[in-house]
Structure formats: C-alpha cells, structure tokens
Amino acid sequence: VTSLAADLARVVGADHVVAGADAGPLADATEARGLVPGRPAAVVRPGSTAEVAAVVRHCCAAGLAMVPRGGATGLAGGAVPTGGEVVVELGRLRAVRRFDPGLWRIEVEAGLPVAHLHRLAREHGLRFGPDPGAAEQSQVGGMLATNAGGPHAFGLGVARDWVTGVEAVMPPGDVVRAGGPLRKDVAGYDLVGLLVGSEGTLGVVTAAWLRLEPAPEAAVGVVAACGDAEAGCAAVLDVLAAGLRPTVLDVLDEGATAAAAGAFPLGDLGTPAPFVVLAEAEGSAGEAASGAAALREVLAARARAVVVASTPAETRALWRWRDGVSLAVGAQHGGKLGEDVAVPVDRLADLVRATRALGARHGLPTATWGHAGDGNLHATFLADRADADALERAGAAADELLAWAAAAGGTVTGEHGIGLVKHGGLARQWDAPTVALHRAVKRAIDPAGLMNPGKKEP
Ligand SMILES: Cc1cc2nc3c(=O)[nH]c(=O)nc-3n(C[C@H](O)[C@H](O)[C@H](O)COP(=O)(O)OP(=O)(O)OC[C@H]3O[C@@H](n4cnc5c(N)ncnc54)[C@H](O)[C@@H]3O)c2cc1C
C-alpha cells in the first residue's frame, strides 16, 4: 500500500492520495440492500484530465482495479469499492471550460456539482433538463455515468438527451473525445451514448459538452386525486391519448399519499388517501395556464378532485412536497426497500397491483410512486431497518418484482442502474445473444476487466 500511495502521489501530489486504513470504508446512498461499504487500497483525487490519464495508465500497468466516484449519491452501489481497488474521485475536476449562453451550450468537467450547472444555466435564462435529486452533491460525471433522469424526465428527457460530447479516459490510459459542441453528428458509432450510462465500467468521464435551452417563463402544477390505482393509471393514459405534453407526469399510490398527506401544501387530499396524479404544464404564462387547464379537464374525468396551483409559489411548494415523499414513506416503518423498475406505460396499473400483491404475500406494507409517464415507478416495500426478518422478506419481494417487471417487457432499473445491487438483472430482460453483445463491448474496451469490476454485470 505504501508503495502504491507513493506511486500515485508522484502523479497527483501527496495531498491528493489517501491509502491504507484511512481510505475507507466507502458507501454511497444505497439503502437496505445488505451492501457492505468496501475498503479500497487507495483513494486518489486527480486534478486534471492528464492526471486521470496518468492514474489509469499506472493502474492498468500494475493490474489494479479502479472505481470512478463522483458525489456518491448513487442508489445501486456503483461507486462503492468491494475491496482493494483504487477509487478515482473526480471532485477536483470542476471547471466550466466554456460557456456560450447565446449558443445554448456549455462544456464542464466531470466533478462539477449538478446544482452548480443548474444555477449557472438559470442565471442566464437557460436550463439543463435533467434534475435528479441530491443535486448539490451529485456530479455531472456521475449523472452521466448513470444516465440519470429526474421528475422532469417525462417532458425533458434524461442525461443522454442533453449530452453532445464526452471526454473520457479509457483503459489503458487513453484520452478519447467523442462529439463536442455539435447538435448533430452521425459520423461514428454512438460512443457518447455508450459512455453515458456505462456506470464507470468502461472509462472515466472527465468532461462533457452539454446542450442547454431557454428556460420557460412559467410552470403550473396540477394535482388530481383519484379513487384508486385503476382510475389514476387510466388518467395517465388519457393525458397521453389527448396529446397533452406535461413536463411532469407522476403518480403516488394510496400508500405513498397516506405517508406524505400531512405536509401536502395545496389543501386537504381527503380520506381515504387518494391515488394522486401530479403533472406540470409550462411555457409562456399563457401557455402554462392553458396547458394546466387542459390537464385539469382530462384528469377530472377520472378524479374525485383536481387542484391547479394558483401561483408560482404554490407550484414550487408542490414539488418540494413531492421531493419529500421518499423520506416520508421511509419514516413510516423505520426503513424501506425501493425498486426503480420501469414497464411499458400501458402496464402501469399492473405494476402497482403486482407490487401490492407481493407486499401482501410477504407480509409487508407497500408504497408506489414515481414517473408514471415514463412507466418508471419506485415500487417500495416497507420494512424496519432493525428487523432482519422483515428486511429479508423485503429482499425476496423485491427480487420477485424484478422478475415480474422483466417478464412484463420492462426493465429491472429505469433510473438508478445495475451497479452492484442488481447484479445479474440484465440477463433477466435480454436474451442470450444480446447479453453476449453487452459482454463483448465490455471486453473490447476493458479487456483486463479493471474498470469498476463487479458492476453492471449482466
Ligand atoms: C435523494 C436522492 C435523489 C435522487 N434522485 C434521482 C432521480 O430523480 N433520478 C435519478 O436518475 N437518480 C436519482 N438519484 C440517484 C443519483 O443521484 C444519480 O444516479 C446521480 O446523479 C449519481 O451521481 P453521483 O455523482 O453521486 O455518482 P456516484 O454515486 O458517485 O456514482 C454513480 C456511478 O457512476 C460512476 N461514476 C461517477 N462519476 C463518474 C465519472 N466521472 N466517470 C465514470 N463513471 C463515473 C460510478 O462508478 C458509479 O457507478 C438520487 C439519489 C439521491 C440520494
């Protein structure tokens, strides 16, 4: 370890290497999955792309595995070492290399916190669409590596939709640049798309060119309280069929609503707790108002009540409330095990029903909420963190849910990635030749298997 620290210190300076007992254990934000925070051989904090390349070159030459690590807000254990790796932290690479507000584009380094990117865009009347939670801590590189989305993903897309160029260090230490400040480029294979969502298993993202767009003048939140999941999920499909384009189209089932109802900012959600549909219309002030009115009309056909936020402050309060749902659900029984499965949107109601049926079979309460327009729900089994038996039953229920989602033509992860915790999940939803192609891509780029081993394995 001492000689490893000395070798890495020659590359990045002794202040930016931690080795031995001081280097860990390191966790991320993954909850209740028996994930054991691992102890790396060293943590290294390079300060430039050239230093990242030198670190990767050194590790590859020495046969040392690496774990790229951003803000450690990941929910699949992707940035958690399993033991003995070199953790490459990107937090010092936080420069804005170039910002052309008039051209709606920016080049930033991987370690820039996502919230800084949002603030910078906002100060210039622009926006960057993806808005995953934990933005003060999560980094652009981590957001890209997980192809993160957020509440607005239905209308605005996920990280991949906003990246036009990626700079990355690939084994055995080469710097590659795919794309750039270009809005269109079909010359090569989609290497940008390959790196986005690769969870640090192919290379280390060091910088990216991102697309921005003018921020809308106004946004108006709409809440529909429906009698049950059938009515609520049908209302979501009605919104699509009506050709409306809300930026958010979320739902909360009765379990989720009951947990968070006390803090609901726009009145009383009623008893018993309703199945809630949440939407947002945006545009000029007039467009946002007429979009909200159209949503109200469509949703009212299936709802017992519809509320439209009457001021920007009410809309902001609504999203703050929505942000708190996960915590409120977790507080009900002292812990939870949540999945981020996604299904074709016409299977939404089946997903809510399947989650409840599994909860009932394993003796656990459930709560399901999330991005209904994308068919992506946080299907959650409530279990006290201190109750080993309940946690085991939650694990079994979650495992059956993943199998159900794959069989329903969906995915075991619509948002958080495979990481460590969904090891083997991909092979449930892809056939053998497709899985073989996935493995072949990994082998071609990282033949020695040194980039984040054990993660995103089919
Ligand atoms: C409260 C909360 C809310 C969240 N909300 C959302 C949400 O709405 N939508 C959503 O999609 N996710 C959400 N997440 C998950 C998480 O925030 C995202 O996956 C995220 O953007 C990860 O960024 P990070 O910098 O923390 O990455 P980390 O956790 O550090 O790493 C995640 C993965 O990316 C890899 N990685 C990190 N940086 C690099 C790099 N520079 N190059 C190559 N690989 C890299 C790691 O190896 C790991 O596999 C949420 C998490 C929390 C805690």
Side-chain angles (χ1 to χ4, degrees), residues 253-340:
D253 84 344
E254 297 87 336
T257 306
F264 184 67
L266 306 187
D268 186 357
L269 278 169
T271 317
F275 185 100
V276 163
V277 181
L278 281 179
E280 183 178 80
E282 64 161 42
S284 65
E287 285 163 351
S290 65
L295 284 165
R296 177 207 281 272
E297 191 181 325
V298 170
L299 292 171
R302 308 260 188 193
R304 34 187 225 223
V306 183
V307 183
V308 176
S310 57
T311 62
E314 279 195 0
T315 295
R316 284 194 299 273
L318 185 62
W319 296 124
R320 269 199 305 279
W321 175 72
R322 167 66 183 83
D323 275 351
V325 167
S326 179
L327 269 181
V329 168
Q332 297 299 297
H333 289 262
K336 61 181 166 54
L337 179 49
E339 290 303 340
D340 65 319

Side-chain angles (χ1 to χ4, degrees), residues 9 104 199 210 247:
W104 307 355
E199 299 183 44
L210 307 172
T247 45

Side-chain angles (χ1 to χ4, degrees), residues 42-145:
V43 176
V44 55
R45 301 192 180 97
S48 66
T49 299
E51 286 187 4
V52 174
V55 167
V56 172
R57 217 174 297 123
H58 178 82
C59 291
C60 286
L64 289 166
M66 288 155 276
V67 180
R69 186 168 163 100
T73 68
L75 297 171
V80 175
T82 53
E85 303 98 325
V86 172
V87 168
V88 184
E89 282 192 0
L90 279 300
R92 288 178 64 220
L93 270 78
R94 52 193 294 148
V96 176
R97 288 187 181 172
R98 173 102 183 229
F99 183 22
D100 302 318
L103 300 173
W104 307 355
R105 67 186 194 195
I106 191 166
E107 186 189 16
V108 298
E109 291 186 340
L112 187 78
V114 173
H116 286 215
L117 171 66
H118 282 288
R119 271 196 290 275
L120 202 56
R122 221 171 20 242
E123 282 163 15
H124 290 80
L126 298 169
R127 75 166 161 203
F128 176 74
D131 55 349
E136 294 289 347
Q137 198 187 332
S138 73
Q139 300 175 1
V140 168
M143 174 178 66
L144 264 52

Side-chain angles (χ1 to χ4, degrees), residues 147-301:
N147 196 9
H152 289 78
F154 176 68
L156 304 181
V158 293
R160 173 66 188 101
D161 302 316
W162 294 76
V163 186
T164 61
V166 167
E167 176 191 273
V169 176
M170 312 296 287
D174 300 327
V175 180
V176 300
R177 293 182 185 87
L182 295 170
R183 292 182 67 91
K184 295 179 80 175
D185 176 12
V186 296
Y189 295 132
D190 183 7
L191 297 185
V192 175
L194 186 59
L195 284 164
V196 174
S198 62
E199 299 183 44
T201 61
L202 300 179
V204 184
V205 174
T206 48
W209 272 102
L210 307 172
R211 184 170 79 70
L212 304 170
E213 67 177 25
E217 182 190 347
V220 177
V222 180
V223 186
C226 301
D228 55 29
E230 279 61 39
C233 293
V236 167
L237 301 186
D238 288 350
V239 169
L240 302 185
L244 305 182
R245 301 191 57 117
T247 45
V248 181
L249 190 50
D250 271 17
V251 294
L252 285 79
D253 84 344
E254 297 87 336
T257 306
F264 184 67
L266 306 187
D268 186 357
L269 278 169
T271 317
F275 185 100
V276 163
V277 181
L278 281 179
E280 183 178 80
E282 64 161 42
S284 65
E287 285 163 351
S290 65
L295 284 165
R296 177 207 281 272
E297 191 181 325
V298 170
L299 292 171

